[in-house]
Structure formats: C-alpha cells, structure tokens
Amino acid sequence: MTSTVRRAYADLSGGQMHYRSAGATSAPVVVLLHQSPSHSVMYETLMTALADRFYLLAPDTPGFGNSDPLSDSDADIPAFANAMAEFLGVMGIDRCHLFGHHTGAAIAAELAATRADLVRSLAMSGPTLLTEAQKLALPDQARYLPPVADGSHLLSIWQRIRAKDEGAPLSLVQREVVSALDCGEAYGASYLAVTRHDFEGCLAAIRCPALVFAGDCDPLYDAVAPTLARLAKGEGAELSGGERTYVCERQSEQVASLLGKFFSPGES
C-alpha cells in the first residue's frame, strides 16, 4: 500500500512550524532536514519509501516552505537547531534518528553536537565542511534578487537554480524556483549562516553513530572524507548516478536503502 504523506503545523514559541509526516507513530522516529531554498516537499518520495519501517517527520526550516521565519537576529544555524529541538519537544519526541541534506546537514550536525540527548544516530548528505573558497562564493549564489517591473529577476532566479543541475527535470527546477521566490531573503541568509557555522567544531563533539555521503557529482562531495576523519563514530557510503544537489529526489531508492540500513529498527 502506498503511504500517505500528511501535512500539519506545530505551534512553537516563535510561530508555526509546518511539517510533513508518514508512517506509524509507534515506529522508530526519523527526522529529515532539507536543503535551501527547498522545504519538506523534497522528501516526499523518500518518506514514502521508508514509511513501512519508520515514523518520519520532515519540518520546514523556519522561513522556508510554510514555516514562520525566525527574527533577523536569530537566523543562524544554532537558532535553526534550537527551533528543531523545540519542534521535537512539541511533537513528544524524546529521541530520534536524524538526517540532513546540505543546509539540513549543518542543522543536523549542530543538533547532534549540542543536544546529544535527542539524537540516536545521524546521517548527512553533502556535509557542509566548506573550503575557504566555498565560504566566499556561497552567499552570492543565493543573493536576494528583488522584484523588478519587467520581471527579469524571474529569469535570473530560474537560471541560478537550473545551474545547480542542468540535467534535473524542469518540474524540479520550477519547484525550487517557486521555493526560492517564496522564502525571499531567507535563502541568502541561510547560506550565509552555513558559511559562518562552526561545522568542524560540531563534528568533534558528535558522539553518536554517523553516516556521511554525497552524490558523486555533488559540489560538497569532497567534504565527505574530511568530515569522516573528524567524527568519532563515522562511516561513509558511495552513491552512483552522477547526482549533484537533488540526490534525495533523483536517487531516492539508493538513499532510502542507505538510511534504512543505517537507522536500524532494532533499538535499545
């Protein structure tokens, strides 16, 4: 039977957080954190593939999708992680398995490092252990483009998003363009937050089992090995298919297989 992915809101101290869920609430909990400028919609196929084994929760990061934003002064990775911790508390989740892709990997690492009580195990796709060149380039790649009367900003955003993976289906590109338009300045702010985040420091503090991988053409693929070298209990995996940033959608079977094996239902 095909699993139904449901949508709902959780009331947090800073506003509402929108999320998707699938699977039986009695199953082991897996929380999925998305990349920017996407939102929880990117995980629908993956959630359906895993719903027979896990209870899956995919929240929209504050400021993305249908979640209310944080205040401007709070838009950093620790603040996003705090919001996710509050979300788990509101949902009655004491511990979970945690997966993050790109920006979501930074938030997941922060949560695993600072709230070890909440995280049984951690998986990251496209870990954000950035080079200095990447830290300088990333904010401009997501720079806010204000509306202009002739609509030329729309073409610029389309070209920017399509350049992430020119082989991606146009429907996927359009989804991400709409997401980028909807989140406005939060897109660039999240990239800036990633560049300023002490991801390396988080890795040194993480003690739970951690799985690290990336699409084999992901711009963050080269960060996998050095990320593993900094983890106490890290293991790596390889993905085939020439995927870049949309591996969770375009290689969902491979990703579901990796996560299903790593987030074993047998829990103490």
Side-chain angles (χ1 to χ4, degrees), residues 6 14 29 41 46 48 53 56 68 113 118 132-134 137 157 169-170 172 206 226 229 259 265:
R6 298 187 176 278
V29 180
V41 68
L46 190 60
T48 299
R53 300 178 60 183
L56 299 124
D68 291 333
L118 293 175
E132 290 305 314
Q134 287 171 325
I157 293 171
L170 294 184
L172 181 52
I206 293 170
L259 297 182

Side-chain angles (χ1 to χ4, degrees), residues 55-265:
Y55 177 48
L56 299 124
L57 292 169
D60 291 348
T61 301
F64 294 85
N66 290 313
S67 288
D68 291 333
L70 301 173
S71 67
D72 291 342
S73 61
D74 290 336
D76 59 19
I77 299 302
F80 288 140
N82 287 339
M84 293 305 170
E86 184 181 357
F87 167 73
L88 293 176
V90 168
M91 297 296 295
I93 305 301
D94 295 325
R95 300 196 76 195
C96 68
H97 302 292
L98 188 60
F99 173 60
H101 175 70
H102 285 208
T103 307
I107 299 169
E110 178 72 25
L111 194 58
T114 60
R115 290 298 307 273
D117 58 306
L118 293 175
V119 183
R120 292 184 181 276
S121 60
L122 169 69
M124 295 183 286
S125 168
T128 54
L129 189 64
L130 305 177
T131 65
E132 290 305 314
Q134 287 171 325
K135 289 179 181 179
L136 290 172
L138 278 175
D140 190 60
Q141 292 174 14
R143 177 174 49 86
Y144 178 62
L145 298 176
V148 293
D150 66 0
S152 57
H153 66 293
L154 300 174
L155 178 59
S156 296
I157 293 171
W158 176 275
Q159 292 171 333
R160 174 188 288 176
I161 296 296
R162 188 158 187 260
K164 289 186 172 188
D165 184 352
E166 294 187 352
L170 294 184
S171 59
L172 181 52
V173 177
Q174 180 162 280
R175 186 199 78 189
E176 292 297 285
V177 168
V178 172
S179 295
L181 289 168
D182 281 345
C183 69
E185 296 185 50
Y187 184 12
S190 71
Y191 269 36
L192 184 61
V194 168
T195 66
R196 293 174 172 175
H197 179 229
D198 184 14
F199 186 76
E200 185 170 8
C202 287
L203 297 178
I206 293 170
R207 292 293 176 263
C208 66
L211 174 68
V212 186
F213 60 90
D216 50 0
C217 290
D218 192 317
L220 298 177
Y221 177 84
D222 288 342
V224 171
T227 295
L228 287 169
R230 290 163 171 80
L231 287 165
K233 298 179 182 178
E235 63 179 82
E238 290 292 330
L239 292 172
S240 60
E243 290 303 329
R244 294 176 60 82
T245 191
Y246 302 121
V247 67
C248 295
E249 296 99 319
R250 302 188 69 195
Q251 295 290 343
S252 59
E253 289 186 7
Q254 285 195 74
V255 175
S257 178
L258 286 177
L259 297 182
K261 292 175 182 176
F262 184 67
F263 295 146
S264 172

Side-chain angles (χ1 to χ4, degrees), residues 36-52:
S36 301
S38 195
H39 54 102
S40 58
V41 68
M42 67 170 277
Y43 285 128
E44 285 198 343
T45 302
L46 190 60
M47 294 172 79
T48 299
L50 292 170
D52 61 336

